[in-house]
Amino acid sequence: MKWWKQKRREPPAPVVQVRREEGHPFGALDRYVPLHTGEIALYRAIREAVPIVDAAIWKLARLCGGVGVRCGDRKAQAGLEEFFRTVDTGWGQRGVQSFLDRYLDDLFTCGRALGEIVLTGDGREIAALLCASPEQVEVKIGDSPLDFRLCRAGLGERQELPWQELLLFTPFQPTGDAPCGVSLLRSMPFMAGILLKIFQATGQNWERAGSLRFAVVCKPGEGEEAFAQERCGQIAQEWSAAMQAGREGSVRDFVAVGDVDIKVIGADSPVLDSEVPVRQILEQLVARTGIPPFMLGLSWSSTERMSAQQADLLTSEVTAIRRTVEPALCRVAELWLRLHGFGGEAEILWEDINLQDIVEEAKAELYRAQAEKLRREIP
């Protein structure tokens, strides 16, 4: 008998020794799956709470507007332009431009935009062009980046939507870890939370300054200790009556005998200066949107040349956004051509982005004309 052999012991079950710690107020965001309902709700709350962010998104959407179309067939050109101008986009609106405004709004806020081409009953005409909420769908990725399907969001097994070719899907600034796009507001929750705390504290301080609270201290003299309780009750009653009369609009004096000290509660505490931290936070938020500060009503120090350079940078930003949504618009135009028996491809035309001063543009045209004249005169 091998009594000297010890019995083999099973390893103990693992025990969790550490727990997740929240490093900042928005630490819960680290556990969000990108572009799910909870995160999109947070982004919409940021737009509602911070007006400057909401204004920046609306300005970006308007600057990206001015859409037109052109095709190779002259016979189809007039009809295609009429379709872009009069197509029903829901809620009493018409035209591809109204569809594009809603499409861009969802693109910036949610990180992706979802649209649908609605055909007539016989399938020979496009009846409407509608935007849908991105929360309604989830993306099912296949074996390759070219293979993805849109599915109805919800619990249980994902169900693919039946008519994939009639759905429009555009991701905004897709990355390797988020191929379905990321929101323009992805880096704002932490900074927006600090800004809202400052505004909330400022509102509470002004409420305290506008509705004063008083501390009434009665110090009894020598030999009056026995009547201190009764005197304090009388002073409290008279003080309450005087305050009530003030709320009703009448003036009533308060008269007390003895050592009575009246102070405003919290009057000695200093009010923190919020100008510098608020500006630092706004600089971070505005920098993410790409909008020059002067377009949002912020009177920060900016030279004339700096404003011109900011306008040029915004022009390149708007051009990049237009390239993002152009494939979806091309699909709509090319489907209309095929439904009406025309072939070929459609080209999306955009209005020129004009952020410069008209006088400066006129001077540039004059200088170009003078340079051209000099080139012709030189033999």
Side-chain angles (χ1 to χ4, degrees):
M1 186 175 82
K2 300 180 180 180
W3 55 269
W4 49 271
K5 286 188 176 181
Q6 296 182 357
K7 186 179 180 181
R8 185 177 181 181
R9 298 179 180 179
E10 296 293 335
V15 179
V16 178
Q17 302 183 58
V18 294
R19 297 183 180 181
R20 185 182 184 89
E21 295 182 358
E22 303 296 340
H24 53 79
F26 288 92
L29 285 179
D30 298 336
R31 299 190 297 273
Y32 277 140
V33 177
L35 297 178
H36 277 211
T37 306
E39 191 172 355
I40 294 178
L42 176 63
Y43 295 151
R44 297 191 188 279
I46 291 176
R47 289 191 58 178
E48 183 178 357
V50 186
I52 196 170
V53 175
D54 188 56
I57 291 180
W58 274 111
K59 288 185 181 296
L60 275 178
R62 292 168 183 170
L63 288 172
C64 295
V67 62
V69 65
R70 181 173 60 191
C71 63
D73 196 327
R74 295 183 178 179
K75 297 180 181 179
Q77 181 65 32
L80 186 58
E81 292 179 352
E82 180 69 15
F83 166 75
F84 261 56
R85 188 171 57 254
T86 60
V87 61
D88 189 4
T89 56
W91 298 100
Q93 299 185 7
R94 302 174 65 185
V96 174
Q97 184 60 58
S98 61
F99 165 81
L100 182 61
D101 292 340
R102 167 78 184 279
Y103 201 75
L104 288 171
D105 186 272
D106 290 340
L107 187 70
F108 297 143
T109 305
C110 306
R112 58 183 176 179
L114 178 66
E116 182 180 1
I117 304 173
V118 181
L119 301 180
T120 56
D122 54 5
R124 297 182 179 181
E125 184 64 64
I126 297 179
L129 190 60
L130 303 177
C131 281
S133 179
E135 298 98 321
Q136 296 179 2
V137 298
E138 294 180 355
V139 179
K140 180 181 179 181
I141 302 177
D143 297 333
S144 68
L146 301 178
D147 182 19
F148 72 93
R149 310 287 289 179
L150 297 179
C151 306
R152 192 182 306 276
L155 300 177
E157 185 180 358
R158 297 179 179 178
Q159 297 180 358
E160 296 184 4
L161 296 174
W163 303 99
Q164 297 283 325
E165 62 275 7
L166 298 179
L167 298 177
L168 304 174
F169 178 81
T170 302
F172 182 67
Q173 296 180 350
T175 60
D177 58 339
C180 297
V182 295
S183 172
L184 183 69
L185 313 180
R186 181 179 62 166
S187 57
M188 292 187 181
F190 178 63
M191 304 301 294
I194 298 176
L195 184 64
L196 294 180
K197 288 180 180 178
I198 295 175
F199 288 162
Q200 178 69 16
T202 302
Q204 292 176 351
N205 289 336
W206 278 100
E207 181 181 0
R208 182 191 65 189
S211 180
L212 301 180
R213 273 76 171 176
F214 298 92
V216 182
V217 180
C218 177
K219 300 179 181 179
E222 296 181 1
E224 297 179 354
E225 292 81 1
F227 307 98
Q229 186 73 19
E230 182 180 356
R231 288 191 57 189
C232 288
Q234 294 176 355
I235 291 176
Q237 182 178 359
E238 292 298 326
W239 180 261
S240 300
M243 292 295 100
Q244 183 64 30
R247 297 189 188 97
E248 296 175 355
S250 60
V251 179
R252 180 173 177 178
D253 297 331
F254 174 75
V255 181
V257 179
D259 190 1
V260 179
D261 186 15
I262 301 175
K263 293 182 179 181
V264 178
I265 299 177
D268 298 335
S269 59
V271 179
L272 299 177
D273 184 12
S274 61
E275 181 178 359
V276 175
V278 167
R279 174 170 175 173
Q280 291 176 347
I281 296 174
L282 290 180
E283 287 175 350
Q284 299 290 329
L285 300 181
V286 173
R288 181 64 184 93
T289 62
I291 297 290
F294 64 86
M295 294 187 64
L296 298 174
L298 300 175
S299 57
W300 295 342
S301 59
S302 177
T303 62
E304 182 179 356
R305 184 170 181 82
M306 184 184 299
S307 299
Q309 293 175 350
Q310 290 175 346
D312 292 338
L313 292 175
L314 179 60
T315 301
S316 62
E317 185 76 16
V318 171
T319 304
I321 296 174
R322 286 178 170 182
R323 290 197 301 265
T324 302
V325 298
E326 189 169 320
L329 300 178
C330 285
R331 284 186 55 192
V332 176
E334 292 171 358
L335 178 60
W336 185 92
L337 291 174
R338 291 196 299 269
L339 290 176
H340 290 80
F342 299 102
E345 298 180 353
E347 179 184 1
I348 302 299
L349 304 177
W350 300 96
E351 294 180 358
D352 293 335
I353 305 172
N354 183 12
L355 299 175
Q356 303 294 337
D357 190 88
I358 298 179
V359 177
E360 296 297 329
E361 291 184 354
K363 289 181 179 179
E365 291 290 340
L366 176 62
Y367 295 155
R368 281 194 291 266
Q370 291 176 350
E372 182 66 24
K373 181 180 179 181
L374 291 175
R375 282 194 296 267
R376 292 178 180 178
E377 292 177 353
I378 295 176

